[in-house]
Amino acid sequence: MFRWLNEGPRRKEETRTFVTVASGLQELYREKLLPVETEHLFHQFYSPALTDADFTARPMVLLTGQYSTGKSTFIRHLLGRDYPGLRIGPEPTTDKFVAVVHGKSDQVIPGNALVVDKSLPFTQLSHLGNAFLSRFECARCDSPVLEGITLIDSPGVLAGEKQRLNRGYEFEGVIRWFADRVDMILVLFDVSKLDISDEFRRVLLALKGNDQKIHIILNKADRITTPQLMRVYGALMWSLGKVIDTPEVSRVYIGSFWDEPLCNDEQRKLFESEENDLYTCLAQLPRSAALRKLNDLIKRARLAKVHAFLLSHLRAKMPSFMGKGKEQQKLIANITAVYQEIAKERNLPLGDFPDPRMMQEKLEKMDFTKFAKLNKAKMDSLEGMLGNDLVGLLALIPDEAAATTETRLSQIGPEASPFAVMKMDGNSEMSYGASGWLQPPNLEDYRSEFMALSPNAAGKISGGQAKGKLIESKLPSTVLHKVWTLADADKDGALTLEEYALAMHFIKMRLDGQDLPATLPPQMQPVAAQKMEAAASAPQMQLAAA
């Protein structure tokens, strides 16, 4: 699917850089940030301590949205196959959070077993208890895409009367936990389901603070005409403007992210462009993962620094003898004034301070007299980490990373088909009944069509000549690219009659609902290709015999 995933030497070089940065972040966190967090009860106010897996895990992508908007289908589209336990339907089918990770064989790991696996970044979810863990699982499967990213499938957000049903756990809290840790958040909308229900509104609000990670997908866009699509897009932006309160316009990717024929292909070029943009963002995630983790650690360190000053200040304000309870309530009620006083005294930006209402709720249950005093040595060490260590660690990330990624993503090659886009060569499982299609087609069935395309003297038609005919199937370009890759046996960018017959045969196979084979079966190889292969192997056989 992503060509760069299969480029071994380059990927190994990037991985070494990523591991180096990750190990540096681990060491700095354990030695300089964790002691401050532990001493000043940071984990009781915010999130648990980070584990080694939080630094070394593959970048994660969270998919959320209302039910039946195509979240699970989108994952299947990316992987080119079903993941273990996948079930797709128009009704709410995904009732669990599913972490789709790379594995050599298909396996489903239940939630309780998953959170004790320290090699995965989900151990902190154990504090949510069995109510959530019974609705959480990991699906391992072998896919080249999962070598670079991990996908998080989520239950569909409910609407109407269904919202009143108790899930048994805090759904918005789980979404917030994942949102803080993933590298990208995909929010899917259906063109026929733009309403934002109460639960969906709470989910979108739970994503607040991670606005730069959010990418919105307007899915199933081929189901409507161009004028309808314009009106739907405007309605979506209007609805989002009332929930996502940011001055910037949200990025919306328009298309139909599945392998089915396009109902209306008049906006095919738009869909292809949007598809490429989204796949490019996904392809660059492993490159930017180290920077994202570095950025998150800096945010956490700044928050821990402010938190230490805040708790130390509250402790110092408590009277020595009488009136402690009254003074504590007064400080909690005037927490914003306390923020301003600390910011002025310590020369700290107010933007680094936590939400006042959240802090007031947490402080109600605390005894200010038990807060720790500032440890100057630990605070100086934290300042050194922010001022020097993390800056030095940033230099380990190659400056040429972005340019290398862009070059490789656009490196399609001279043998590319006219349908080549970012997503290609996914490993798809064979559908039941597909074996009946894996037989050579009858050339006479396609000879008249082929001759009508005016082949050249060599008996071939170019990619441009074939493209118009193949597009008539209305299949997405990602599927047509795979069809071309299978049919163009000699990889010369042109089709003979045999190859054209193969292409049309595979199109009919896909329209029949069958998955295409990963490679061209030997029995379907064109005669010319077989002769070339035999000629190439003959000298080697003679050499071996000698």
Side-chain angles (χ1 to χ4, degrees):
M1 179 179 297
F2 302 121
R3 171 164 291 201
W4 58 272
L5 281 169
N6 297 320
E7 296 185 4
R10 286 184 175 176
R11 189 173 71 246
K12 290 177 182 176
E13 183 178 349
E14 293 162 16
T15 304
R16 284 198 299 271
T17 302
F18 175 78
V19 170
T20 302
V21 175
S23 59
L25 292 174
Q26 288 175 350
E27 184 177 349
L28 290 175
Y29 176 73
R30 285 194 300 263
E31 295 180 359
K32 300 190 176 184
L33 179 53
L34 185 57
V36 175
E37 291 184 355
T38 305
E39 190 168 75
H40 295 282
L41 310 177
F42 183 90
H43 307 139
Q44 296 184 33
F45 282 82
Y46 305 101
S47 59
L50 299 177
T51 64
D52 289 347
D54 289 316
F55 295 103
T56 58
R58 294 181 175 93
M60 295 189 290
V61 179
L62 170 66
L63 288 90
T64 187
Q66 300 189 85
Y67 71 91
S68 192
T69 54
K71 299 184 296 297
S72 301
T73 304
F74 180 72
I75 292 179
R76 187 188 190 283
H77 177 65
L78 283 180
L79 302 183
R81 52 159 294 176
D82 291 351
Y83 64 78
L86 174 65
R87 189 165 68 90
I88 297 174
E91 76 282 5
T93 52
T94 304
D95 61 345
K96 300 177 181 180
F97 282 86
V98 183
V100 187
V101 304
H102 184 264
K104 294 299 182 183
S105 59
D106 289 4
Q107 183 184 19
V108 176
I109 305 174
N112 283 287
L114 181 59
V115 295
V116 297
D117 187 351
K118 294 185 178 180
S119 65
L120 295 173
F122 306 120
T123 55
Q124 296 177 8
L125 289 169
S126 59
H127 74 278
L128 294 177
N130 286 329
F132 168 71
L133 295 181
S134 63
R135 291 286 181 264
F136 180 46
E137 66 184 24
C138 172
R140 290 185 181 273
C141 61
D142 188 11
S143 171
V145 177
L146 297 177
E147 292 179 14
I149 59 177
T150 293
L151 300 169
I152 309 295
D153 197 2
S154 65
V157 179
L158 302 178
E161 188 68 22
K162 295 183 288 294
Q163 294 180 84
R164 301 183 184 180
L165 300 176
N166 187 7
R167 292 182 184 268
Y169 59 91
E170 189 185 355
F171 183 69
E172 295 83 16
V174 176
I175 290 289
R176 186 180 300 110
W177 187 92
F178 277 109
D180 291 338
R181 287 158 179 79
V182 301
D183 297 75
M184 180 184 289
I185 303 168
L186 299 180
V187 182
L188 280 80
F189 285 86
D190 189 325
V191 292
S192 60
K193 195 184 298 182
L194 297 180
D195 59 304
I196 297 179
S197 63
D198 293 342
E199 186 177 53
F200 200 10
R201 173 183 289 271
R202 293 194 298 270
V203 167
L204 292 175
L205 291 176
L207 303 177
K208 191 173 183 179
N210 298 285
D211 303 318
Q212 74 282 1
K213 301 178 183 178
I214 297 176
H215 298 258
I216 296 167
I217 295 178
L218 183 58
N219 202 13
K220 305 180 184 179
D222 70 302
R223 298 298 183 90
I224 56 179
T225 62
T226 299
Q228 291 171 334
L229 181 59
M230 293 175 62
R231 290 193 289 270
V232 166
Y233 179 80
L236 175 62
M237 299 304 292
W238 180 81
S239 298
L240 289 173
K242 299 173 67 176
V243 182
I244 302 179
D245 188 18
T246 58
E248 298 86 7
V249 177
S250 301
R251 176 66 165 96
V252 179
Y253 298 92
I254 303 172
S256 295
F257 297 89
W258 57 5
D259 293 336
E260 300 302 318
L262 302 177
C263 294
N264 291 294
D265 66 341
E266 54 196 41
Q267 290 298 331
R268 174 184 288 270
K269 288 187 177 180
L270 171 65
F271 298 161
E272 290 176 1
S273 174
E274 297 288 273
E275 209 172 41
N276 275 314
D277 289 347
L278 180 57
Y279 294 150
T280 300
C281 291
L282 288 169
Q284 291 174 341
L285 282 183
R287 281 290 200 153
S288 59
L291 279 173
R292 199 272 303 170
K293 287 177 170 59
L294 179 64
N295 181 65
D296 285 353
L297 189 65
I298 292 173
K299 286 170 57 179
R300 188 180 179 103
R302 290 169 67 95
L303 180 58
K305 173 183 169 183
V306 166
H307 182 74
F309 284 136
L310 174 60
L311 265 58
S312 175
H313 180 88
L314 293 175
R315 182 185 187 280
K317 288 291 184 179
M318 296 300 292
S320 301
F321 299 104
M322 300 180 63
K324 293 181 180 178
K326 187 176 181 180
E327 181 63 22
Q328 181 166 323
Q329 290 301 320
K330 181 181 176 182
L331 289 170
I332 294 174
N334 298 314
I335 193 68
T336 53
V338 173
Y339 283 3
Q340 293 173 355
E341 184 178 350
I342 297 173
K344 185 176 180 181
E345 178 185 345
R346 301 285 183 177
N347 194 27
L348 298 170
L350 283 172
D352 285 354
F353 285 79
D355 180 18
R357 286 173 293 182
M358 181 277 294
M359 185 56 66
Q360 287 172 331
E361 293 176 7
K362 298 283 187 181
L363 290 174
E364 286 285 353
K365 307 171 186 177
M366 300 290 181
D367 182 357
F368 290 6
T369 60
K370 295 183 179 179
F371 290 160
K373 294 182 179 179
L374 282 179
N375 185 313
K376 188 175 185 305
K378 291 180 180 178
M379 295 304 294
D380 288 346
S381 179
L382 181 58
E383 286 287 356
M385 184 187 87
L386 285 169
N388 301 312
D389 298 331
L390 291 177
V391 176
L393 198 59
L394 183 63
L396 294 177
I397 301 175
D399 294 333
E400 66 274 11
T404 304
T405 301
E406 184 178 352
T407 301
R408 190 177 325 117
L409 290 172
S410 60
Q411 194 175 27
I412 297 174
E415 75 281 1
S417 79
F419 304 100
V421 293
M422 288 277 304
K423 174 180 173 290
M424 45 189 165
D425 298 335
N427 290 338
S428 60
E429 293 181 324
M430 295 304 299
S431 303
Y432 175 76
S435 58
W437 286 92
L438 301 183
Q439 301 297 329
N442 186 354
L443 300 185
E444 296 305 318
D445 293 343
Y446 303 99
R447 187 179 298 276
S448 59
E449 292 181 12
F450 182 77
M451 298 307 296
L453 295 174
S454 303
N456 58 22
K460 296 184 177 184
I461 58 172
S462 65
Q465 290 174 295
K467 184 173 183 178
K469 187 66 178 178
L470 271 59
I471 280 179
E472 292 179 4
S473 66
K474 297 189 177 182
L475 286 170
S477 291
T478 49
V479 178
L480 292 178
H481 167 75
K482 188 166 186 179
V483 168
W484 182 280
T485 303
L486 291 169
D488 188 11
D490 54 6
K491 308 302 178 188
D492 62 350
L495 299 181
T496 63
L497 172 59
E498 289 179 280
E499 292 172 336
Y500 175 80
L502 278 175
M504 300 306 294
H505 181 77
F506 283 128
I507 285 175
K508 290 182 178 179
M509 178 180 177
R510 190 66 193 87
L511 291 175
D512 190 53
Q514 307 297 331
D515 287 334
L516 299 175
T519 58
L520 184 64
Q523 70 273 16
M524 300 185 74
Q525 288 279 352
V527 175
Q530 293 177 4
K531 289 180 178 178
M532 289 176 61
E533 185 176 348
S537 60
Q540 297 178 1
M541 295 176 63
Q542 293 173 2
L543 198 64

